[in-house]
Structures are given as structure tokens and as C-alpha cells.
Amino acid sequence: MNFVSPAALLCCLTLAAGAGAAPKPPPAQPATAPSPALPPAATPPAPEADNAALPPPSSAAQKVYSAAKGDLLQIRMLLKNGRSQSTVGSGFLVGTSNLVLTNYHVVSQMALDPDVYIGEYVDTDGKRGPVELLAVDVLHDLAVVRVTRNGTGFFNVPEKLAKLTQGQYLYSLGNPLDLGFAISEGSYNGVITRSFYDQLMFTGPINSGMSGGPSVTVSGDVAGVNVSKRRDGELVSFLVPVRYAQELLKKVAAQTAPPKDFNPLIGQQLLAHQKAMIDKLLEQPLSLKSMGPYKVPVRESEQVRCWGRSNVKAEATFTADTISCQMESAIYVSESQQTGHVAMSHQYVHSSSLDKVRFSVLASTLFKVDNLGRAKDTRMTGPSCTEQFVATKTVPLRAVTCVRAYRKFAGLYNFTLMTATNDDPKASLQSRIDVSGVSFENGMRTTRAFLEALGRGGKQ
């Protein structure tokens, strides 16, 4: 089975401008991944799945929608200059207040670039009003905004949350594809633990534009907030558990005023995530796998999965065996940036038919310092790389380390370490680790642990 980036599989449910007419490819991996998932990215819909017609609702779904529609909103991001629509998602009024829960990725443009974007809500009667951003939880993809009208009390987030049973019906609401408000019927299927933060699996048809909408039980208890779906699955969708929304609402109640600048707050949340991520990754020594005469470090866990492949059946002059591992999820920051993600790969290349010179040329060609991102990326500084020849306890290595700093989030960096062995004229082990959104200390800590674990033979 080929390794597939989770960022290519996860699709968040925000509808971006122009997405309906000409879907764009998904953004590069840190939503969640990765999507990382992904966390999820503000990616356009998968064409085939999103163009499918929704099934007719049951009588229970009709009752839920009838009772809930007054508190259901569409949340739009608009360019300040000209008020052109940029992205649309969904949200819902909490209780009888004027507070609205939605996803962070629905309002991320307003949070990151408030001088460029503003928010607007539209209710089911077509009435519009401004949106004021009060709080964000980037790690769980949630946000709270304030609007100029109050709820009827249908969507409550009580202290004692509803107990869910696998297979029970849930009803997901929102504005799919900007076509109009709708309700989808599906079922709760447990908690996903492969994500760094828990998510609920909803087996039902939810679509782009429904991000931030609620999923409720038949009695109206909020179970979760629509956040993403799998592009490669059949009705496999995900919800943010409502307990995280409950925690964010408590923070809003405690704050005297919303932040004037959300970028420092987002940076703090990403710094907290990277500490937990690296501590979890390195809480035990990395596992070792054999590749030819070498031992290579990997990490397999609930958050990190590994896949292997080989070209052994190809008519090639060399054999290449590959192991790739990466986190199943990532943190969504913006449509073009996901972070908080770890990936590592190893490629063992050897040949019995090439002479030493030709194999050396092949190994040099395969060792590429690439995929570091665009040099003119306004979000990051350009890569600063150093090359050294080092030796672990058992093997000499050529090692290249590249570091990029985040411009908006002080103290966060992307690290890449690439190595190649040079102790065998007809074999080469080439390894790489990418760590995104980490402190400089944790970037160095992770690459050092990876480098020290590389070795030859059974003794480390």
C-alpha cells in the first residue's frame, strides 16, 4: 500500500471563493495534516462527493431542522476592499445569547489579517449583520464570534454533556456549497484517537460550507461541531467534541475584552501544542527497524503511522526500499499553512550491477535538498541550511540541516534534517525528518535524537 499524505485525504468544510466552479488541489502538508489533517485545511470540496445530492431527510430530521433553523447561521469572510466574498462556513447561536460557535478555519482570515478581512453572518431569513471575533482555539479548530441578534435557546451547551452511543442518529446542520441551509442525517461512530486531539466520527453526508455547523441528537443536544471529512471515504466525516466548545465559551465568559491582535494568542497555542507533540514523540527512545545492514529510527503510535514500499519488481539497475512515517493530523493555521507535524522517511538504495562511480552518481542524484517550501514565502523566512560530515557511534554520515522561522509567530520554526551514509561504495541509506511548528530547542532536540539513532549493524 502506498503511503498517502493525510492532508490529501482530509477536507475541511469551508467553501472557498471559486471552489464550486473549479476545485483547487489541496494545500501542501504541514490539517491534520497533514492533515498533517487535516487539521483540516480550507480546501475546496472533492468534486464527485460534493456534487452528490443529499438524501431526503426523515421525519425526525424535519422536526430537528424546523426547531433549529432560527439559530442557524452562515458565516462569511469578506474582503474589506469591495466586500467580495472570500470563504463561507456555518455557525450556530448558543442558547439565548448573541454568541456563535463556529470553526477557527471559518474565521481564520479575519483572525490573521483583520486589516484585510471582515466577517458577516446571514441567517435563514436572509438577514445579515457584522461578526465580531471574540476567541479562537486553533488546536481544536473552534472560534466564538458575537453577532447582532440572539438565539431562541435551541442550541444549548450544558455543563453535563449528552452521552453518545455508537450507532445513534445525529443531525448535522449548515449551508452546504452555499446552496442554502440544510440538515443531514447520519450516525455517531466513536472517538477518533489517531488525531492528536480527539475528534468524533460522524457517518453521514456533510459538505463544504458546513464547517462550524452543529451536529445534534434528536433531542437537540449539541454533540459536536462539523469540521472535516475524508476525501477517500464514503460519508466519513469528523466533529469537534462539544466539550472543547464548552471550554472555549468559559474563556469568553472570563475575558473582559477580545484580543486586539489574535496572532500572539495563536502563536502561544501553537507553542503549547509543539511542546506536547515533541514530549509525546520522544517520551521513549525511537524504535529501530532494519534496512539492509543499517538500523533506522521510526515512531509508530496512535498519532504516527508508517508505510513501506520497494521497487524490487521494477526493471531498475538498483533496488530502493522505503519506509515513511508521519503524523495523521496537523494544525490548520490558514488555507496555505498547516503546522505542528512530524514526518520521517528512510530510503535504502543498493545495486549489484552498477560500478562504484555510477552508483556514486546515482546516490548523489537521489540526495536532494528540496521540498523546503518557497524561498519567497511571506509566512516564513528563507531556509538557512548547514552541511556537515558527522559520525554516529557506528556510521559516518553526510548531514544537511535546514531551519525556517515563522514571521507571524515568534519562537516557532520548521526543521528539516537530511542524511546519507558514505561507508559503502555500492549502497546508501538516505534519511530525512521534517518537524514543523516547533521551538528551536525542540527542533534541535528532535533532529539530534533522530541522528543519534541512525546506525549500522545491531549495536547502537
Side-chain angles (χ1 to χ4, degrees):
M1 181 174 182
N2 291 335
F3 175 81
V4 182
S5 166
L9 300 179
L10 277 175
C11 172
C12 71
L13 305 169
T14 301
L15 187 64
K24 298 180 293 183
Q29 171 66 16
T32 163
S35 92
L38 160 286
T43 51
E48 294 183 1
D50 286 348
N51 290 333
L54 293 174
S58 66
S59 59
Q62 293 178 48
K63 291 179 181 176
V64 170
Y65 182 78
S66 177
K69 67 177 183 179
D71 292 349
L72 192 61
L73 303 177
Q74 183 183 56
I75 306 296
R76 299 178 172 182
M77 294 296 104
L78 310 174
L79 276 173
K80 273 188 175 179
N81 184 10
R83 297 183 67 84
S84 298
Q85 185 169 289
S86 177
T87 61
V88 294
S90 298
F92 59 99
L93 284 152
V94 179
T96 56
S97 75
N98 59 353
L99 301 182
V100 175
L101 274 168
T102 186
N103 288 137
Y104 160 75
H105 74 259
V106 171
V107 298
S108 61
Q109 291 174 320
M110 188 166 58
L112 297 170
D113 298 301
D115 294 333
V116 180
Y117 296 97
I118 57 174
E120 178 186 74
Y121 76 86
V122 182
D123 66 19
T124 51
D125 292 327
K127 296 178 181 176
R128 303 174 182 229
V131 163
E132 180 187 9
L133 183 59
L134 299 182
V136 300
D137 178 350
V138 177
L139 307 186
H140 299 104
D141 202 349
L142 289 172
V144 176
V145 301
R146 183 159 50 201
V147 297
T148 54
R149 51 156 294 187
N150 289 69
T152 66
F154 180 79
F155 294 118
N156 280 309
V157 183
E159 283 291 328
K160 188 175 181 180
L161 301 177
K163 184 177 180 180
L164 301 175
T165 303
Q166 189 162 5
Q168 83 174 75
Y169 281 109
L170 290 179
Y171 302 88
S172 181
L173 299 104
N175 195 320
L177 305 177
D178 197 22
L179 295 175
F181 292 94
I183 184 168
S184 295
E185 193 168 6
S187 58
Y188 165 75
N189 270 302
V191 179
I192 304 300
T193 56
R194 286 201 178 279
S195 173
F196 198 84
Y197 300 102
D198 292 348
Q199 290 189 338
L200 309 183
M201 183 164 71
F202 172 73
T203 304
I206 60 177
N207 295 278
S208 295
M210 296 179 75
S211 279
S215 282
V216 300
T217 66
V218 69
S219 58
D221 293 326
V222 179
V225 180
N226 307 331
V227 68
S228 63
K229 69 176 182 179
R230 287 284 293 240
R231 289 176 179 271
D232 60 335
E234 294 289 339
L235 307 181
V236 180
S237 307
F238 302 97
L239 314 174
V240 182
V242 70
R243 71 174 185 277
Y244 296 128
Q246 191 182 55
E247 292 169 6
L248 189 60
L249 287 168
K250 288 179 179 177
K251 290 180 181 177
V252 170
Q255 72 183 15
T256 54
K260 293 183 179 178
D261 182 357
F262 278 88
N263 284 302
L265 175 62
I266 293 171
Q268 291 170 15
Q269 293 178 0
L270 295 177
L271 278 168
H273 168 76
Q274 63 86 33
K275 182 180 185 308
M277 178 182 71
I278 299 302
D279 287 348
K280 183 73 175 178
L281 180 74
L282 301 180
E283 65 181 355
Q284 296 177 350
L286 295 169
S287 303
L288 297 178
K289 284 186 177 291
S290 296
M291 295 193 80
Y294 301 103
K295 296 289 186 181
V296 300
V298 298
R299 169 64 73 228
E300 289 184 278
S301 66
E302 287 186 342
Q303 286 78 41
V304 183
R305 299 186 76 186
C306 300
W307 304 96
R309 63 184 178 188
S310 174
N311 74 336
V312 67
K313 294 183 179 180
E315 295 180 357
T317 55
F318 63 93
T319 298
D321 298 329
T322 303
I323 297 175
S324 298
C325 306
Q326 74 172 4
M327 289 181 63
E328 293 276 284
S329 60
I331 303 299
Y332 178 98
V333 176
S334 69
E335 187 178 34
S336 59
Q337 187 174 33
Q338 295 186 28
T339 189
H341 185 261
V342 176
M344 56 184 78
S345 63
H346 306 279
Q347 180 173 237
Y348 173 58
V349 184
H350 56 99
S351 175
S352 59
S353 59
L354 295 176
D355 58 42
K356 295 179 182 178
V357 175
R358 293 174 64 195
F359 184 82
S360 177
V361 172
L362 169 68
S364 297
T365 302
L366 294 175
F367 189 77
K368 295 179 180 177
V369 182
D370 58 3
N371 296 327
L372 298 176
R374 291 181 292 113
K376 295 183 179 179
D377 191 335
T378 57
R379 305 159 306 168
M380 312 283 296
T381 62
S384 175
C385 300
T386 58
E387 180 172 3
Q388 294 178 299
F389 287 90
V390 300
T392 69
K393 292 180 180 178
T394 55
V395 67
L397 295 165
R398 175 188 175 192
V400 177
T401 304
C402 297
V403 182
R404 305 186 72 177
Y406 287 64
R407 295 186 188 276
K408 283 195 173 184
F409 309 121
L412 285 174
Y413 302 84
N414 285 356
F415 273 70
T416 298
L417 169 66
M418 291 160 284
T419 66
T421 59
N422 56 8
D423 62 333
D424 189 326
K426 299 190 70 170
S428 178
L429 172 69
Q430 302 191 359
S431 300
R432 173 170 177 153
I433 183 168
D434 291 276
V435 192
S436 65
V438 292
S439 67
F440 194 86
E441 178 186 6
N442 275 332
M444 292 296 294
R445 180 183 164 205
T446 306
T447 52
R448 189 182 302 118
F450 183 82
L451 186 64
E452 291 175 350
L454 286 166
R456 186 180 179 96
K459 297 181 179 178
Q460 298 297 312

